[in-house]
């Protein structure tokens, strides 16, 4: 980025072009202009000309906070174009950056086809006094229109050359309740577009369409607008509804795109600070939509940031830092759950997101009672002086999900011996989100398995992450010679000819059954812990020297697993 010295006295970055790059050649005429984002800037203003600082192609066009601009009529071919980007602020003078050049290529192909964007193909109830507009066709330098009341008829306009423009105002209203057919054929010096399809729309019935409206809160051009404002507009006689469009640039409705309202106000939640927003409201009734309603704009508060501090030249953000989890559990049998905001702030708001996507305010204090699962929004804000004698809110918000939760239930508990160490694993069930530890204060882990444990007494703690309680399970780890022998040798010499559990004198395990498997998991024997034991025979045949596994089950459903050797 290049650096300029603003009139307010601190260094400010000017962006470089990212597409096309400075000095690029052979650039297509339909290229969109893109540049680097400058943090803390309220918006950008773009000019395009054939001389440094000129604006004969586009002159001082505000584009909001986006960093891409599509010239509405494309660019002239075989021409050096100069891009001038102006950084727009509310709290200091604008900064005009140096012009950046690039050169377009000589186009040798005809243009492609285009489409109506107002009215859209297939629209109904269109105002009889509507104007037509269409999208830019790459490489086009002009357009021809055929308009009629039947396909290909052209009884309203026939092959009319409207020049290099993207709109047409018919000299007379269209007939009411009629399907209107429109063909738009782009052209340039290399020829006309081919294969363009005819589009159509149906006008509204006889009657008087409504007129346009205007914002009354915030008013057009207002700044320091709150981040969650109530948008209000003037009611229009005869209107049955309103179409609302909101975008961060004049060209794209990336916030609200044609939402229908039957009232004259709506809340818009959580605009970004230090940004300009563009609003168009179009009233309608059965006779059609209002025509040529203007676009209005307002800018959100800049006291919260990010903005440049004139004294330090650094970015400042006044919004509170929040640290709210993505998910919270409500414990079955203990509803409602009272949750307290974890972050210091001047005020709080809690919203529940309804099934229709609306926001229902459920608390304006630091605590909230949560009674049902679903999606919620937590907002914390700090109030600050806006420099004009009023207070404004600097808010931060976080979406979170409320889920049902409960204490864990232990289904199985496995103990496996590996040499001088044990591995312990538990299987739990329940609708909670669980973590595991061998001390009540942790550390806790997501895995239900603990490896490399030595002989001793332990307690397993299973904690619900959503705060619905801790389940405890004591267990004991013991090594042979009392317990499960590490080997036996069934060779008939009377020493270690049988393998079985050897109960210790103190705290023997209350075993019910022992199962023996080969290394592939095949069941070889089931023995009684109080019986004779296993002799290394399977279906009458002595098994070879190898490693074998056991699974021992207690009367209280503990499971012990381990490894031993058969030696011959």
């Amino acid at each position: 980025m290049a650096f300029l010295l603003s009139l307010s006295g601190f260094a400010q970055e000017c962006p470089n072009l990212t597409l096309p790059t400075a000095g690029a050649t052979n650039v297509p005429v339909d290229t969109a202009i893109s540049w680097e984002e400058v943090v803390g800037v309220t918006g950008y203003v773009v000019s395009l000309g054939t001389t440094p600082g000129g604006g004969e192609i586009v002159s001082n066009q505000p584009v909001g906070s986006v960093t891409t601009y599509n010239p509405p009529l494309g660019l002239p071919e075989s021409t050096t174009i100069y891009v001038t980007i102006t950084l727009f602020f509310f709290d200091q003078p604008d900064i005009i950056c140096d012009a950046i050049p690039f050169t377009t290529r000589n186009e040798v192909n005809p243009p492609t086809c285009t489409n109506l964007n107002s009215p859209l193909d297939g629209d109904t109830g269109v105002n009889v006094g509507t104007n037509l507009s269409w999208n830019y066709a790459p490489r086009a330098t002009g357009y021809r229109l055929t308009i009629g009341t039947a396909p290909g008829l052209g009884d309203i306009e026939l092959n009319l050359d409207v020049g290099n423009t993207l709109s047409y105002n018919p000299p007379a209203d269209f007939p009411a309740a009629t399907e209107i057919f429109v063909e738009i054929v782009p052209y340039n010096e290399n020829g006309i577009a081919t294969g363009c399809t005819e589009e159509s729309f149906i006008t509204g019935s006889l009657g008087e369409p409504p007129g346009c409206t205007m914002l009354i809160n915030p008013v057009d051009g207002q700044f320091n607008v709150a981040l969650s404002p109530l948008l209000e507009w003037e009611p229009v006689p005869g209107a049955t509804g309103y179409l609302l469009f909101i975008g961060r640039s004049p060209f794209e409705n990336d916030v609200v795109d044609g939402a229908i309202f039957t009232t004259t106000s709506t809340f818009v939640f959580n605009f970004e600070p230090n940004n300009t927003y563009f609003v168009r409201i179009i009233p309608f009734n059965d006779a059609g939509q209002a025509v040529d309603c203007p676009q209005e704009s307002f800018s959100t508060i800049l006291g919260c940031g990010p903005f440049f501090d004139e004294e330090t030249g650094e970015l400042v953000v006044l919004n509170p830092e929040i640290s709210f989890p993505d998910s919270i559990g409500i414990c079955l049998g203990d509803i409602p759950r009272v949750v307290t905001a974890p972050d210091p702030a001047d005020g709080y708001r809690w919203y529940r997101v309804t099934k229709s996507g609306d926001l229902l305010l459920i608390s304006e204090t630091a605590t909230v009672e949560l009674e049902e699962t679903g999606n919620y929004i937590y907002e914390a804000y700090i109030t600050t002086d806006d420099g004009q004698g009023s207070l404004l809110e600097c808010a931060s918000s976080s979406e979170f999900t409320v889920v049902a939760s409960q204490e864990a239930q232990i289904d199985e508990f496995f103990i496996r011996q590996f040499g001088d160490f044990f591995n312990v694993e538990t299987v739990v069930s329940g609708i909670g989100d669980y973590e595991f530890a061998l001390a009540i204060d942790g550390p806790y882990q997501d895995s239900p398995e603990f490896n490399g444990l030595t002989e001793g007494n332990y307690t397993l703690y299973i904690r619900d992450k959503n705060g619905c309680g801790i389940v405890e399970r004591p267990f004991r780890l013991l090594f042979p010679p009392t317990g499960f022998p590490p080997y036996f040798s069934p060779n008939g010499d009377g020493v270690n000819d049988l393998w079985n559990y050897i109960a210790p004198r103190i705290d023997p395990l209350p075993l019910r059954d022992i199962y023996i498997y080969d290394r592939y998991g095949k069941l070889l024997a089931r023995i009684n812990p109080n019986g004779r034991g296993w002799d290394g025979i399977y279906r009458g045949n002595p098994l070879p020297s190898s490693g074998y596994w056991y699974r021992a089950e207690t009367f209280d459903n503990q499971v012990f697993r381990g490894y031993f050797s058969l030696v011959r």
Side-chain angles (χ1 to χ4, degrees), residues 19-202:
L19 184 72
T21 56
T25 59
N26 203 35
V27 175
V29 297
D30 59 340
T31 296
I33 312 299
S34 298
W35 56 92
E36 299 169 329
E37 180 182 7
V38 180
V39 179
V41 171
T42 306
Y44 307 91
V45 179
V46 175
S47 292
L48 304 176
T50 57
T51 59
E56 59 269 33
I57 300 174
V58 174
S59 179
N60 292 320
Q61 172 63 61
V63 297
S65 57
V66 299
T67 56
T68 297
Y69 174 64
N70 283 284
L73 296 174
L75 299 167
E77 63 178 345
S78 302
T79 303
T80 297
I81 309 296
Y82 293 86
V83 182
T84 302
I85 299 174
T86 299
L87 308 182
F88 172 64
F89 300 88
F90 286 117
D91 58 344
Q92 58 179 289
D94 295 344
I95 297 175
I96 302 175
C97 297
D98 291 339
I100 303 174
F102 63 87
T103 302
T104 56
R105 70 187 180 192
N106 177 38
E107 300 291 349
V108 296
N109 296 312
T112 58
C113 293
T114 185
N115 299 98
L116 284 171
N117 63 32
S118 181
L120 293 172
D121 183 32
D123 273 356
T124 60
V126 176
N127 190 329
V128 296
T130 191
N131 297 332
L132 304 181
S133 64
W134 52 92
N135 299 311
Y136 166 65
R139 300 185 299 277
T141 59
Y143 301 85
R144 292 183 177 274
L145 297 184
T146 296
I147 309 171
T149 56
L153 180 60
D155 55 332
I156 298 176
E157 297 291 0
L158 181 61
N159 201 29
L160 175 67
D161 188 346
V162 297
N164 194 15
T165 182
L166 299 178
S167 63
Y168 176 64
N169 184 2
D173 288 348
F174 292 115
T178 301
E179 187 169 10
I180 305 299
F181 296 84
V182 180
E183 182 185 52
I184 307 170
V185 180
Y187 65 84
N188 65 15
E189 61 182 3
N190 303 304
I192 64 172
T194 58
C196 298
T197 59
E198 198 171 41
E199 300 175 276
S200 69
F201 57 88
I202 299 175

Side-chain angles (χ1 to χ4, degrees), residues 407-484:
E407 286 186 350
Q409 176 178 328
I410 299 176
D411 297 329
E412 291 188 286
F413 190 79
F414 300 101
I415 298 175
R416 300 179 179 92
Q417 180 184 340
F418 293 90
D420 295 334
F421 298 97
F422 296 91
N423 291 353
V424 174
E425 183 180 3
T426 185
V427 177
V428 300
S429 61
I431 61 173
D433 187 11
Y434 304 115
E435 55 188 359
F436 306 83
L438 296 178
I440 193 167
D441 295 327
Y444 283 84
Q445 63 184 41
D446 291 334
S447 172
E449 185 171 355
F450 294 88
N451 299 325
L453 300 182
T454 58
E455 189 177 30
N457 295 318
Y458 295 85
T459 300
L460 173 66
Y461 298 90
I462 307 172
R463 182 171 68 181
D464 175 46
K465 292 183 180 180
N466 294 310
C468 291
I470 298 177
V471 174
E472 300 180 13
R473 176 63 180 267
F475 62 94
R476 180 167 51 90
L477 302 178
L478 291 175
F479 288 116
T482 57
F484 301 100

